Amino acid sequence: QDYEAFKEQLTQHLLEILYETVPQVQGKVAFHTLGTPLTEVSYLASYQAGSYGTKCDLEMFTERNSVWTTTPRTKVPGLTIMAGSDAFL
């Protein structure tokens, strides 16, 4: 019960920030949901509640692992860095 109340309070706070920052979206948000580290563990079986479930380790970027990992750098002119859950995997 307390966890759900906390999530709702945090959700409302983040929506307030969104509406202050981008006022034209107020009244247009049809759906929202909030995930926390506990959500990551419960639904994604993530490593120690880390985002995307991947254990961050420099070993994943070694030459021998290059066949399954990518780099945040791109070959697209003007687009030098990617970010997000798929930038490295």
Side-chain angles (χ1 to χ4, degrees):
Q1 184 77 3
D2 291 336
Y3 174 69
E4 292 300 324
F6 168 76
K7 280 179 52 174
E8 181 57 30
Q9 182 181 12
L10 182 56
T11 298
Q12 293 308 313
H13 178 70
L14 293 172
L15 285 170
E16 288 172 15
I17 293 171
L18 172 67
Y19 298 148
E20 288 174 10
T21 307
V22 189
Q24 61 268 31
V25 301
Q26 191 160 4
K28 297 180 181 176
V29 175
F31 176 80
H32 61 76
T33 186
L34 176 80
T36 68
L38 288 177
T39 307
E40 299 282 334
V41 169
S42 298
Y43 293 99
L44 302 177
S46 65
Y47 179 80
Q48 296 181 346
S51 293
Y52 316 119
T54 304
K55 177 181 179 182
C56 294
D57 187 326
L58 291 177
E59 179 72 19
M60 67 189 285
F61 299 109
T62 61
E63 185 62 35
R64 71 180 178 159
N65 291 327
S66 65
V67 295
W68 66 269
T69 60
T70 61
T71 172
R73 310 228 182 274
T74 74
K75 296 178 182 178
V76 177
L79 179 63
T80 56
I81 300 288
M82 294 188 305
S85 62
D86 297 323
F88 296 103
L89 300 175

